Amino acid sequence: MCGIVAYMGNRQAFPILIKGLKRLEYRGYDSAGVALLNNDLKVFKNHGKVSDLENILHDKDLSGNIGIAHTRWATHGEPNQVNAHPHYSESKNLAIIHNGIIENYGSLKEELINRGHSFESQTDTEVLIHLIEDIQINEQVDLQEAVRLALNHVVGAYAIVIIDRNEPNMLIAAKKGSPLVIGVGKDEFFVASDATPIIEYTKNVVYLDDEEVAFLNRNGELKIKTIRNKEKTPYVQKLELQLSAIEKGGYPHFMLKEINEQPRSIKDSMRGRLNAAKGIVTLGGIIDYEQKFVNANRIIIVACGTSWHAALVGEYLLEDLTRIPVEVEYASEFRYRNPVIYEDDIVIAISQSGETADTLAAVELAKSKGATILGVCNVVGSSISRVTHAGSYTHAGPEIGVASTKAFTAQVTILALMALSIADKKGSISKARFYQMLTEMEALPQKVEKALGTNEQILKIAKDFKDATNFLYLGRGYNFPLALEGALKLKEISYIHAEGYPAAEMKHGPIALIDENMPVVVIATRKGSYDKVISNIQEVKARKGIIIAIVSEGDAVVSQMADYVVEIPDTDEAFVPIVASIPLQLLSYHIAVLRGCNVDQPRNLAKSVTVE
Ligand code: G6P
């Protein structure tokens, strides 16, 4: 959601800001804007894409070496030009960009209106910049102090950058809840929602913590204070991200690139953590909490979206191997339903971005009740990874396509490593199965590579079903969460209605939908409840439904019944969700492309959901 970019230095700001906004497009947005300071403080904005903003700027003077820019994902007020950021203060001396939600903006706005302020937009953001200026004038303090004081009145989440017409050598940034990173170059500063707009200029970054305000001066000085006026020493870190990781590298879409990267991303997620020959599984990041984990009476996993599906696979894995009861919760439900949390609970938060607002809030709630919190995040330094007690990064590399692919398989990989390592320490798995599973895991990158070979066949299937209006996905056991994920992938990017179901549950409702127009994708791999799934396939066929079956290599039974058969390499049933993800991801990708959909930035969706 909302993307922030700001620049101050010796270069022209505009090209850096626009390129930065383009790098942040993947987060999801519906309008864009930029403010440039060059004697005058000019704001330009438009609804639509960054290219729509560029289209209205051809004849404008865009010079200046300080500026702020924003992509907005509408929350307060519709996505139009007026509500787009940046927003001016009452005097138009200040401009702000903001990601997050100011929850008490209504009462603040009312007070400000009573004091003579007038507002152009319906946004909470405009209220904040008016409040800052109001404090600056009425309390006769400088802007730095006014920002700090104003943020003490704010309830909600924010990442903000402020520019002042009268201070061409200064930018002010602050954050709470929403992410913000500062790039420190030679005589220049960058500020952004994540590191992607920054890496081609500098690898030195400072991540702001919650309730911190940063004062950036053109002379290279970076001062950080908390909103309670405590000075902080900036901690400069080195980014490990490579530029090539956030570019398409010859693929037509990021999603296809990311699907194809999975042999490597799975390998990277296992690197240094798994040695089958020696029978070793270690997750260095959680080593200090392993004993607590082994002794836990319960594990709770919180997540949203695709990460929630990975959590469900994790439930099956952890219960199967460690025999510790596991509950999987939608973070948004968990945080508001007064859940029972014990001090000896292990809570695992799964999040690709590490910024999902509901997951972050669920973590904070569980932490306040004394539980041990472990994170499984992909983005290094993200908010969730910073508030958890410990965790394991997925190392899938940046995921730009909004529909999650390689992050999902990496999350399942980490959960499998976690389950195996705890089961081994606990003695809840036989040595034979332990070794067998480690060997299978090591083979996963090759098996996933082989599964990518189904691409041409899947493209043909996609052509036959591109005009379908409904899809049903069925699976049992480990393949049930995968059925949910397959359906989610299809609806996210092709806008075809799709539902995932445990195959046996089909009888309790969805079977009523089945006729000759209903494509049913069944994950019918050889292990687990194979025979039962075969019965479910027969039930579909008896009602003339069309079966697209994902089967294990060499399957002779399902092939006789199904209309379309896609073979994938055989593996342990616990790892089928990793290998079988590939044809499901490819199916939704090809159908979406054939329907002319915007695969990487589907309508209404955001990559990083930083508001609840
Ligand atoms: C959004 C994205 C999904 C993602 C979900 C959770 O809805 O579009 O792809 O699965 O958020 O995101 P997280 O970053 O917490 O995994």
Side-chain angles (χ1 to χ4, degrees), residues 304-307 350-354 356 359 402-404 411 492 606-607 609:
C304 303
T306 289
S307 298
I350 307 179
S351 174
Q352 185 285 128
S353 62
T356 302
T359 312
V402 165
S404 186
Q411 288 164 344
E492 278 180 314
K607 180 74 183 158
V609 180

Side-chain angles (χ1 to χ4, degrees), residues 87-191:
H87 288 286
Y88 279 125
S89 61
E90 182 76 22
S91 70
K92 296 203 165 24
N93 278 337
L94 308 177
I96 188 172
I97 49 176
H98 166 220
N99 173 14
I101 290 183
I102 309 295
E103 287 169 16
N104 58 337
Y105 87 107
S107 55
L108 294 172
K109 189 170 184 175
E110 222 176 281
E111 264 176 54
L112 289 163
I113 289 173
N114 290 339
R115 286 219 287 277
H117 287 254
S118 57
F119 294 91
E120 289 174 4
S121 76
Q122 296 155 288
T123 65
D124 50 340
T125 307
E126 193 184 8
V127 174
L128 179 56
I129 195 66
H130 278 243
L131 175 68
I132 290 169
E133 186 168 71
D134 192 80
I135 291 176
Q136 190 186 7
I137 294 168
N138 290 323
E139 302 196 13
Q140 297 190 351
V141 289
D142 63 16
L143 180 61
Q144 308 190 356
E145 187 61 358
V147 171
R148 192 185 71 73
L149 293 173
L151 293 177
N152 278 287
H153 293 283
V154 158
V155 179
Y158 52 80
I160 54 170
V161 186
I162 295 166
I163 190 166
D164 180 351
R165 183 188 302 269
N166 300 315
E167 292 278 2
N169 299 321
M170 180 185 76
L171 285 173
I172 300 180
K175 91 141 223 160
K176 183 185 176 192
S178 302
L180 207 62
V181 52
I182 299 168
V184 184
K186 196 175 170 308
D187 302 325
E188 59 186 355
F189 284 113
F190 305 80
V191 186

Side-chain angles (χ1 to χ4, degrees), residues 2 23 77 258-259 263 270 278 299 368 370 378 394 483 488 542 593:
C2 302
R23 294 241 189 261
E258 287 156 9
I259 292 173
M270 297 193 295
K278 293 193 176 146
I299 301 165
S368 73
N378 194 40
T394 42
L488 177 66
V593 171

Side-chain angles (χ1 to χ4, degrees), residues 19-26 196-197 200 243 246-247:
K19 197 167 186 188
L21 289 186
K22 287 185 177 162
R23 294 241 189 261
L24 293 175
E25 280 190 305
Y26 78 94
T196 54
E200 60 193 285
L243 189 57
I246 58 162
E247 297 192 324

